[in-house]
Amino acid sequence: MPQDAKRPDRERMVWRGVVEEYRSFMPVSDRTPVVTLGEGRTPLIYAPELSRLKSAEVYLKYEGGNPTGSFKDRGMTLAISKAAEEGSQTVVCASTGNTSASAAAYAAKAGMTCAVLIPQGYIALGKLAQALIYGAKVMQIKGNFDQALDIVRELGERSGKVTVVNSINPFRIEGQKTGAFEIIDTLGAVPDYHFIPVGNAGNITAYWKGYKEYFKAGISSSLPKMMGFQADGAAPIVLGHIVDHPDTIATAIRIGNPASWDNAVKARDESGGIISSVEDSEILEAYRFLAARESVFCEPASAASVAGLLKTEVKSGSIVVCVLTGHGLKDPDVAISQISVPEAIEATYDAISEELGV
Ligand SMILES: *Cc1c(COP(=O)(O)O)cnc(C)c1O
């Protein structure tokens, strides 16, 4: 690694982000300027309540701990680093929200212009706020995610001037596979089951790739079953056909024609796993359970993995990892819709102690 004289030694000792930490597995060279925000090394949290319910050892890989609050940062660090290496000035993406937040942040770090296309009315408030505050050019389109992605692909092909950083960008998958490395490094074991929400299906593709690479390198000696979950109203892989009007409260997986469809099916079949679906009501139940019982606040799409676990039989005593893809504060509207906001009471000791019953 080239030494930077301006930096104190201490800085080289902290976690350097997924590209540096897993450099030997990354398609980078000395000419790649690594653009990082210190993503990765997210908590792997033991979940006692879920473990008891499933008679298994259940862990939550909390990707809300990434710099912009979702796993998208793992892939974006590499996608933007490679765009910088190629001299790109502008990056563009279609997004259900988290990709745009992440692209906006990493592009700003690299001094690039970032343009994002988002489906009007179907993006969680926290994500829109992020893309805007990081300085991206945000375009809401009168269409859904799949239409936005079609336009972005065409921009990449026809304009010749912009780099597309959607998960069709192969570097996104390469960066995201580090999630699997971290799970094995932290557990010192390979999970028997890996539960994960499926939208565009880039993440299930990436995790499977990561598990296989550690296996091939002789670092691990088994592979997990990949257990993917779509939302009922947006379950093209389960149905076996494109869904023209996908609908679910979990906006991050509101996708009717996944870009990595074939690879998701491969991950399922090669691993002996499943891709199934969960209802919005089951997603919300898992979402509230995670916050109230395991003290982990994730966004609705993330809870699809745990909703899947709750209704799937796993072998007793097995090691289970559920990926929680994004932070709960991404989507404050859903959180508030799930609780009742308390009314104001008198600002007196008596009123408060009476309310508390103490
Ligand atoms: C992007 C995203 C997903 C879906 O991941 P895919 O790679 O598109 O399958 C799930 N949850 C959250 C929070 C996301 O941001």
Side-chain angles (χ1 to χ4, degrees):
M1 201 200 337
Q3 302 282 302
D4 184 340
K6 291 183 304 250
R7 294 189 178 189
D9 278 344
R10 265 195 308 283
E11 196 168 332
R12 294 197 196 96
M13 292 169 67
V14 301
W15 178 261
R16 297 162 299 166
V18 298
V19 174
E20 289 297 355
E21 297 291 339
Y22 294 106
R23 185 171 257 270
S24 64
F25 290 90
M26 292 289 140
V28 292
S29 72
D30 290 347
R31 283 172 292 109
T32 315
V34 176
V35 182
T36 181
L37 296 172
E39 61 293 318
R41 195 155 74 171
T42 54
L44 188 68
I45 305 164
Y46 177 64
E49 297 291 321
L50 284 169
S51 297
R52 196 175 45 75
L53 275 175
K54 304 306 291 188
S55 305
E57 205 179 312
V58 182
Y59 298 88
L60 307 169
K61 181 65 170 161
Y62 186 51
E63 291 291 279
N66 277 298
T68 78
S70 87
F71 76 84
K72 299 298 198 296
D73 294 345
R74 292 181 184 276
M76 204 55 74
T77 177
L78 186 61
I80 298 291
S81 296
K82 295 302 281 188
E85 182 179 340
E86 285 148 22
S88 181
Q89 299 289 316
T90 305
V91 296
V92 60
C93 67
S95 179
T96 59
N98 282 331
T99 295
S100 62
S102 186
Y106 284 83
K109 182 86 178 186
M112 293 174 189
T113 302
C114 175
V116 304
L117 269 67
I118 57 175
Q120 181 184 33
Y122 287 98
I123 176 163
L125 216 53
K127 305 175 189 181
L128 182 59
Q130 283 181 294
L132 291 166
I133 202 83
Y134 288 126
K137 177 165 179 57
V138 175
M139 290 168 278
Q140 298 209 50
I141 65 156
K142 296 171 181 168
N144 63 26
F145 170 81
D146 300 289
Q147 291 166 298
L149 184 57
D150 285 343
I151 298 167
V152 161
R153 278 182 154 138
E154 201 174 333
L155 270 174
E157 281 159 20
R158 283 177 54 182
S159 81
K161 289 208 184 85
V162 301
T163 302
V164 177
V165 292
N166 274 100
S167 64
I168 47 175
N169 177 320
F171 300 124
R172 292 270 311 280
I173 306 275
E174 291 300 309
Q176 283 172 209
K177 75 188 178 191
T178 58
F181 299 163
E182 286 180 20
I183 288 170
I184 295 173
D185 289 346
T186 310
L187 278 178
V190 178
D192 299 298
Y193 300 91
H194 180 99
F195 283 77
I196 184 167
V198 175
N200 231 351
N203 212 24
I204 190 171
T205 300
Y207 268 97
W208 182 235
K209 191 166 197 289
Y211 282 124
K212 283 197 299 189
E213 287 187 10
Y214 253 28
F215 184 77
K216 270 193 207 127
I219 297 168
S220 58
S221 54
S222 64
L223 292 162
K225 290 188 192 309
M226 300 301 290
M227 312 292 278
F229 287 86
Q230 302 195 291
D232 248 4
I237 300 175
V238 179
L239 297 168
H241 60 77
I242 292 171
V243 175
D244 282 328
H245 302 287
D247 192 26
T248 169
I249 191 163
T251 49
I253 52 172
R254 187 174 175 271
I255 288 170
N257 186 13
S260 300
W261 189 321
D262 294 345
N263 286 325
V265 169
K266 249 192 240 165
R268 176 194 70 193
D269 295 345
E270 288 176 10
S271 73
I274 60 168
I275 294 180
S276 185
S277 66
V278 284
E279 290 171 23
D280 275 6
S281 60
E282 294 170 316
I283 289 175
L284 288 172
E285 199 178 314
Y287 168 79
R288 288 191 307 261
F289 179 96
L290 282 166
R293 306 284 293 279
E294 303 286 7
S295 296
V296 180
F297 184 27
C298 63
E299 68 173 279
S302 309
S305 61
V306 170
L309 170 62
L310 284 171
K311 64 186 230 181
T312 305
E313 188 134 7
V314 294
K315 232 178 96 208
S316 165
S318 53
I319 301 176
V320 176
V321 170
C322 298
V323 179
L324 298 181
T325 44
H327 199 290
L329 290 174
K330 290 275 190 176
D331 200 340
D333 290 328
V334 169
I336 287 165
S337 78
Q338 292 300 302
I339 50 172
S340 53
V341 179
E343 284 186 17
I345 44 183
E346 291 305 319
T348 63
Y349 176 87
D350 289 347
I352 298 295
S353 64
E354 190 189 320
E355 181 75 17
L356 266 177
V358 295

